[in-house]
Amino acid sequence: MPSAFPVLERHLFGPGPSNPYPEATAGLGLPLLGHLDPEFLRIMDETCSLLRTAWGTSNARTLPLSATGSAGMEAAFVNTVTDGDVAVIAVNGLFGERMCDVAARCGAEVVRVDHEWGAPIDPERVAQAHPNPKVIAAVHAETSTGVRSDIEALGQLKGDALLITDAVTSIGGIELRADDWGIDVGYAGTQKCLGVAPGLAPFTINDRAFERRITTPRSWYLDLGLLGGYVGTGGGGGRTYHHTAPVAMVVSLHAGLNRVLDEGLEQVWARHAEAGQQLQDGLQEMGLELFAQEGWRLPELTTVKVPDGVDSAAVRALLLERHNIEISGGAGAYAATVWRIGLMGHNARPDAALLMLAALKDVLARV
Amino acid sequence: MPSAFPVLERHLFGPGPSNPYPEATAGLGLPLLGHLDPEFLRIMDETCSLLRTAWGTSNARTLPLSATGSAGMEAAFVNTVTDGDVAVIAVNGLFGERMCDVAARCGAEVVRVDHEWGAPIDPERVAQAHPNPKVIAAVHAETSTGVRSDIEALGQLKGDALLITDAVTSIGGIELRADDWGIDVGYAGTQKCLGVAPGLAPFTINDRAFERRITTPRSWYLDLGLLGGYVGTGGGGGRTYHHTAPVAMVVSLHAGLNRVLDEGLEQVWARHAEAGQQLQDGLQEMGLELFAQEGWRLPELTTVKVPDGVDSAAVRALLLERHNIEISGGAGAYAATVWRIGLMGHNARPDAALLMLAALKDVLARV
């Protein structure tokens, strides 16, 4: 069994993970602390506080779940719906699809509102899909299509329902205001615009949703009633042991969030907007056609149509081999006809956009 | 919001996490790879193969789940039991207790077989607790009490039931032979004797259990039917996207496992045995009394009674403050009357045992 492997330095310009901020990488390598060490508890408290800023929320129950973003989705549903509850789910890509699967496994009666892939959700149609759902769920930034949807408008129309929002690819990259927009439950990932390695799911739930939660959810690991004690927001002031926190990942997230918030959230959003615009302009100047609907394109994740006669996989392989650049194919039915190019987090920079454009030109001339 | 924090170097001599092997820490800090990068897929394949050796199994479905050890427990039950299935669970400590909670949430009819804390399970009593259970579950090394149980004997008595085993604190520290002992489903953690930071749950399931699994479990995130495709053992030879692997943690586990297996599993077990014996002898020479029943004491995790009149918390605080040494109180009813001292993974060394004994002597003279 060979134990050595080459150390590759990739430009991670796909839909995530992105290259972490150097501070986040340095955080991973620090001497490990115990999960109950007073110093670690302080770092965890600060991390939850920093996450509140990133979410735009004052929710006490804001924390990094100890698993990846997909577990955040599961936590959102398993804590809010059970057998027979109605869940209206907006579907305009892969992650909306996945929500339907996850909610159904929790026992929910899923009312699925389909949209064309590449288009945003229609908040009115979603809000009118059922007279009295327990939850309404939508994806803010669809990683599969590169499309933003208007969560604020959906929040205004949600009525009595709880609004669940997938912010995996939006947090730290584009405007996100959980409280102002009426998001009751939100989940995200660390490995996109927050610029931290994958492994945690930033999560937030407000009092309104917490009070209506399933008190003994099917999942022990993701039970928010128990997890409040774990991060010291369960009331009573104390901490209760739940599971061993993934200490190194939390310390890394703490470092990454500090980097982002030291720069300033609005400045970081502007940097993503600028890099994305530069990339999208450049791609169109090369004669390529963008996939996501104009006006709803994510700056942090660009979808572009593979030109006729070009072998998508060959281009991706040559980008990787020749330039150490990773981009991704499309999702689902668009696997071979769309590329997904992300400039997220630390990669939302003019030099990264230039390199991406130049490398794609180079490779398209060779295949 | 202060972004700087002091870098503390702790001796992690509690029940986990332990100080990682330096190779595992170095793995965390390597440039990040994409989760679908061919190089990462190779590292993932090797990691699964190395885990097979650590488990003592040839199970194809052996992988690191993308969450901590407690999620491994949840994965074991949510994939094997559903409403009305009988689960016989041996309880001789906190983690047996937790199994009952987790199994009940999956809908199982739990038949709980209680034992005294500090004693091993009685395989005959467990096996006779129900005529026809779907699963029988037990903890190999109880982290709450420092006790080993005889899983091999339970495996011989399990009959038609599936045997679920918690190996969180045994894997990489003491003899563990999943296939020879008849373990059908096993889960573990990375942060104890494997000497890697917390964040992943090494998991294994054999064909017999996989064939009898719940085909659409309540959990999407932990659905072993979907996870087989994620690590390329789902049959058909391909990989299917499930979730974004926690890349840095997997690379770190790969490095830690290589360190352990380069030394040799039996040598590593012997090193744990020696360090634990040295510690336990030294504690008894100091006049302290061990908690776990003689003959069943874990070398990697020692439980010792707090002497009458000594303030357990004051001793732990002074160890941390004066010597940067973390140990833990007892679990449950023994919180204030037992200490838990771990010499696990990289810490299973004579110098660590000496330091621990000397520091405890020093602190006991001061409180």
Side-chain angles (χ1 to χ4, degrees), chain A residues 159-171:
Chain A
D160 188 52
L162 299 173
L163 177 58
I164 294 175
T165 299
D166 177 325
V168 170
T169 299
S170 62
I171 195 168

Side-chain angles (χ1 to χ4, degrees), chain B residues 103-282:
Chain B
R105 287 173 191 242
C106 295
E109 180 191 323
V110 174
V111 177
R112 177 186 167 128
V113 187
D114 272 293
H115 301 71
E116 195 186 347
W117 284 40
I121 67 158
D122 175 348
E124 298 216 357
R125 198 152 65 82
V126 175
Q128 289 162 7
H130 189 277
N132 189 28
K134 177 152 185 206
V135 303
I136 296 177
V139 177
H140 184 207
E142 245 301 345
T143 318
S144 62
T145 61
V147 165
R148 178 177 65 82
S149 284
D150 188 346
I151 300 300
E152 185 176 16
L154 188 58
Q156 285 164 358
L157 298 168
K158 71 180 180 184
D160 189 51
L162 300 173
L163 176 58
I164 294 175
T165 299
D166 177 325
V168 170
T169 299
S170 62
I171 194 169
I174 58 173
E175 187 179 16
L176 171 66
R177 303 189 189 276
D179 287 357
D180 290 351
W181 294 356
I183 295 173
D184 297 290
V185 181
Y187 60 88
T190 48
Q191 76 274 18
K192 316 266 186 185
C193 302
L194 289 180
V196 176
L200 297 172
F203 194 90
T204 190
I205 179 169
N206 63 18
D207 289 345
R208 179 171 175 266
F210 191 75
E211 281 156 19
R212 293 201 222 167
R213 79 187 187 283
I214 310 303
T215 49
T216 306
R218 287 275 177 153
S219 172
W220 178 92
Y221 191 65
L222 300 173
D223 181 342
L224 292 170
L226 300 175
L227 286 165
Y230 155 78
V231 291
T233 60
R239 305 229 180 204
T240 50
Y241 166 64
H242 180 259
H243 67 280
T244 302
V247 175
M249 281 299 311
V250 173
V251 170
S252 179
L253 176 59
H254 179 266
L257 286 166
N258 269 309
R259 162 78 186 243
V260 167
L261 299 181
D262 282 353
E263 182 177 348
L265 259 188
E266 307 219 344
Q267 286 77 4
V268 170
W269 297 341
R271 179 160 58 74
H272 279 82
E274 199 176 328
Q277 193 62 54
Q278 185 186 344
L279 176 67
Q280 290 170 11
D281 288 350

Side-chain angles (χ1 to χ4, degrees), chain B residues 6-365:
Chain B
V7 174
L8 298 174
E9 291 193 284
R10 302 293 204 199
H11 302 284
L12 300 178
F13 295 164
S18 63
N19 297 98
Y21 289 110
E23 292 85 347
T25 302
L28 279 176
L30 290 175
L32 197 70
L33 293 170
H35 65 113
L36 300 173
D37 192 303
E39 181 61 15
F40 176 69
L41 297 180
R42 194 177 71 71
I43 290 170
M44 178 65 101
D45 286 345
E46 281 188 20
T47 302
C48 295
S49 171
L50 295 162
L51 280 177
R52 280 179 203 107
T53 305
W55 275 107
T57 186
S58 61
N59 292 340
R61 292 177 186 86
T62 303
L63 75 162
L65 296 178
S66 303
T68 68
S70 295
M73 183 189 291
E74 188 148 307
F77 286 99
V78 80
N79 282 282
T80 56
V81 292
T82 189
D83 296 338
D85 287 335
V86 173
V88 167
I89 298 177
V91 178
N92 65 333
L94 182 69
F95 293 91
E97 297 259 6
R98 178 174 297 179
M99 281 180 165
C100 297
D101 187 353
V102 170
R105 287 173 191 242
C106 295
E109 180 191 323
V110 174
V111 177
R112 177 186 167 128
V113 187
D114 272 293
H115 301 71
E116 195 186 347
W117 284 40
I121 67 158
D122 175 348
E124 298 216 357
R125 198 152 65 82
V126 175
Q128 289 162 7
H130 189 277
N132 189 28
K134 177 152 185 206
V135 303
I136 296 177
V139 177
H140 184 207
E142 245 301 345
T143 318
S144 62
T145 61
V147 165
R148 178 177 65 82
S149 284
D150 188 346
I151 300 300
E152 185 176 16
L154 188 58
Q156 285 164 358
L157 298 168
K158 71 180 180 184
D160 189 51
L162 300 173
L163 176 58
I164 294 175
T165 299
D166 177 325
V168 170
T169 299
S170 62
I171 194 169
I174 58 173
E175 187 179 16
L176 171 66
R177 303 189 189 276
D179 287 357
D180 290 351
W181 294 356
I183 295 173
D184 297 290
V185 181
Y187 60 88
T190 48
Q191 76 274 18
K192 316 266 186 185
C193 302
L194 289 180
V196 176
L200 297 172
F203 194 90
T204 190
I205 179 169
N206 63 18
D207 289 345
R208 179 171 175 266
F210 191 75
E211 281 156 19
R212 293 201 222 167
R213 79 187 187 283
I214 310 303
T215 49
T216 306
R218 287 275 177 153
S219 172
W220 178 92
Y221 191 65
L222 300 173
D223 181 342
L224 292 170
L226 300 175
L227 286 165
Y230 155 78
V231 291
T233 60
R239 305 229 180 204
T240 50
Y241 166 64
H242 180 259
H243 67 280
T244 302
V247 175
M249 281 299 311
V250 173
V251 170
S252 179
L253 176 59
H254 179 266
L257 286 166
N258 269 309
R259 162 78 186 243
V260 167
L261 299 181
D262 282 353
E263 182 177 348
L265 259 188
E266 307 219 344
Q267 286 77 4
V268 170
W269 297 341
R271 179 160 58 74
H272 279 82
E274 199 176 328
Q277 193 62 54
Q278 185 186 344
L279 176 67
Q280 290 170 11
D281 288 350
L283 291 168
Q284 290 178 302
E285 280 162 24
M286 285 167 63
L288 295 169
E289 200 183 337
L290 300 182
F291 174 72
Q293 187 176 314
E294 202 174 346
W296 300 96
R297 291 173 185 152
L298 295 172
E300 68 271 36
L301 181 59
T302 296
T303 43
V304 52
K305 296 183 185 174
V306 178
D308 283 344
V310 171
D311 179 345
S312 163
V315 168
R316 289 189 285 116
L318 199 54
L319 279 169
L320 194 66
E321 183 193 321
R322 190 170 168 81
H323 300 297
N324 263 316
I325 290 177
E326 176 180 273
I327 69 167
S328 169
Y334 300 96
T337 54
V338 165
W339 288 313
R340 290 183 291 163
I341 307 177
L343 294 178
M344 300 174 173
H346 191 38
N347 293 339
R349 300 191 316 260
D351 57 313
L354 281 185
L355 171 61
M356 183 65 238
L357 289 166
L360 188 57
K361 246 178 235 170
D362 175 68
V363 164
L364 282 174

Side-chain angles (χ1 to χ4, degrees), chain A residues 28-78:
Chain A
L28 279 176
L30 290 175
L32 197 69
L33 293 170
H35 65 113
L36 300 174
D37 192 302
E39 181 61 16
F40 177 69
L41 297 181
R42 193 177 74 71
I43 291 171
M44 177 65 101
D45 286 345
E46 281 187 21
T47 302
C48 294
S49 171
L50 295 162
L51 280 177
R52 281 180 202 106
T53 305
W55 275 106
T57 186
S58 61
N59 293 339
R61 293 177 187 85
T62 302
L63 75 163
L65 296 178
S66 303
T68 68
S70 296
M73 183 189 292
E74 189 149 308
F77 286 99
V78 80

